[in-house]
Structures are given as structure tokens and as C-alpha cells.
Amino acid sequence: MTTAINNKKIVLVVGAGDATGGAIAKRFAREGYVACVTRRSADKLQPLVESITASGGESHGFACDARNEEDVIALIEQIETGLGPIEAFVFNIGANVPCSILEETARKYFKIWEMACFSGFLNAREVAKRMVIRRRGTILFTGATAGLRGAAGFAAFAGAKHGIRALAQSMARELGPINIHVAHVVVDGAIDTDFIRDNFPEKYATKDQDGILNPEHIADNFWYLHSQPRDAWTFELDLRPWNERW
């Protein structure tokens, strides 16, 4: 286990999609961090990498199956030895797939858990191994309402999100005394994405009234958590539009 010798600070965003993950990467890049972003397909990362670069930042895209232990170990090693120390890690894989419990298959249930929970464990574990040596760092998990209560038709997703929240709690209690800040962000509400626009037009119509979450504002809160002084760390932060029922 080795680390590159340079002064660059790295943020690793696993699950850097077109909305929240991408916005978080851009937010950290604005603060001078090198944004390392991953998806299963590297081609889908190119627009994000180019956008950050065009704004004067530095970004690198990596194709990685977040569920594959060997891939994850190799990814962390590549970043730490080739670019610099990972100072902030963001796990942002969702897998929000509805299905009745009466029709849910074992294969799909397991895949959703792998994506939204198991992969979070693999990536966070490998990053934490590096952070404990330096005795500093931030690990942030993107959560959801499903991590607090399971809705009808979302048993698989709720199980996975409950699991990632429990993982975050355990990690926070173990790693906090070693100066590593672990936090869980509950995103409770629709986010301004193409998916919401195309599939929930009535909900998307509330955008002009601030009725759906702006990914850039979510990203601001992730930066806020990372920059908190350690005498006042937040473990769990929930974000929702002003008009969201909860």
C-alpha cells in the first residue's frame, strides 16, 4: 500500500451521474480538489470531466464496477499512487427500482443490495484504510427516505438504504475518534433530473416554486459537511424541499 508524494487533494465520487454525483464533483473541484469520478462506463463520464476541466479544475474519470472487490482495490491504489491522497470520499449509487414484494425476484433484490449497499462497504473500507494511516479524511454517503422508512413497493431499495445507513453509523463511531468524519445525507424528495422531468411532469412543474431539489444545492451541503470543524461534526443531515411532506 503506497501513496503518491504530492500536494494534490483528491475527492473520489463513486456514482458520478449527471445530477447529484456530478454536481458534488464540480463543487469540490471549485475548491481546488482533483475530482476523481467513477461509473461502470467511462464514456458516460467524459462530459463531466470536460466540464470540470473547462472551468479550470482537474478531473479524471474511471470505469469501475463498484461491486467488484478487485476492481475497487485497484482503483484506490491507482488514485493514491498516481494522483494523491483521497481526502474526501462520496458514495452516491442509488438503485431506486420499485417492485411489489410479491413479484420481486431474488436476483433483482440481490443486485439492488449489491449496488446500493455492498458496493458502499467495499469502497468505503478501502478508502478508510488509507485515511486511518493519515488520521484525517471525510467519508460521505448519499442516503434516501428509504433508509429511514420502507415504502410499499420498495422493499429491496429500502433494505439496501437501511443497510448503508447502518454502515455509516458504525463507521462514524469507529473512525470518528481517529479524526475521520463519516456522515450520511438523507435526500428526501425529487431531484432535478431528466428522469423526474420525463416520468413525473407534475412534480417537475414545481421546480419554479423550489419544489424539487437542485443538485447544486445538494452539493453545497456535501462541501459544508466536509469543511465542518471537528468540534461540531454532523453525522446525519436531511435535505428536502420546503413543501415536501415527511
Side-chain angles (χ1 to χ4, degrees):
M1 185 184 293
T2 54
T3 301
I5 303 175
N6 59 50
N7 295 320
K8 292 182 179 179
K9 293 183 178 181
I10 309 296
V11 59
L12 171 60
V13 182
V14 172
D18 299 328
T20 303
I24 293 169
K26 291 178 180 178
R27 183 66 178 84
F28 275 75
R30 284 193 354 234
E31 301 293 338
Y33 281 65
V34 177
C36 292
V37 293
T38 79
R39 292 180 73 165
R40 276 178 288 179
S41 173
D43 292 342
K44 293 182 178 179
L45 290 167
Q46 199 57 34
L48 173 60
V49 171
E50 291 177 354
S51 175
I52 292 173
T53 302
S55 299
E58 182 178 348
S59 182
H60 303 271
F62 300 88
C64 181
D65 184 346
R67 303 166 297 173
N68 184 292
E69 186 171 24
E70 292 182 356
D71 284 1
V72 170
I73 292 173
L75 171 70
I76 303 306
E77 176 72 11
Q78 182 180 358
I79 293 172
E80 288 267 343
T81 58
L83 294 172
I86 299 171
E87 300 289 344
F89 166 70
V90 177
F91 179 75
N92 186 61
I93 295 178
N96 186 356
V97 183
C99 185
S100 166
I101 193 64
L102 304 177
E103 300 172 357
E104 189 70 271
T105 65
R107 179 178 180 275
K108 186 158 72 70
Y109 186 99
F110 184 73
K111 184 177 180 180
I112 290 171
W113 171 79
E114 271 193 317
M115 293 173 63
C117 185
F118 179 67
S119 62
F121 151 71
L122 284 180
N123 285 267
R125 181 196 68 186
E126 289 306 306
V127 171
K129 287 179 180 179
R130 309 294 182 133
M131 290 181 173
V132 295
I133 295 173
R134 296 185 287 264
R135 300 185 71 85
R136 69 175 189 273
T138 303
I139 296 174
L140 304 173
F141 295 92
T142 303
T145 314
L148 305 180
R149 60 181 185 274
F154 290 88
F157 183 60
K161 281 300 185 180
H162 270 70
I164 205 71
R165 183 174 184 244
L167 172 71
Q169 288 179 338
S170 293
M171 289 185 66
R173 292 182 170 108
E174 179 177 350
L175 301 179
I178 313 174
N179 197 39
I180 298 169
H181 185 189
V182 181
H184 178 257
V185 181
V186 180
V187 181
D188 182 20
I191 301 173
D192 185 0
T193 61
D194 292 341
F195 176 80
I196 296 296
R197 181 194 63 201
D198 297 339
N199 294 278
F200 301 94
E202 291 185 4
K203 188 68 175 178
Y204 194 80
T206 67
K207 176 182 176 179
D208 292 340
Q209 290 80 45
D210 299 324
I212 58 177
L213 287 138
N214 182 328
E216 292 184 0
H217 297 161
I218 296 174
D220 285 339
N221 280 278
F222 274 75
W223 173 256
Y224 160 72
L225 287 170
H226 174 60
S227 56
Q228 280 183 326
R230 65 179 183 175
D231 67 314
W233 274 350
T234 295
F235 166 69
E236 190 159 73
L237 180 69
D238 53 342
L239 305 174
R240 65 180 60 86
W242 63 276
N243 58 352
E244 186 76 21
R245 289 189 174 185
W246 60 292

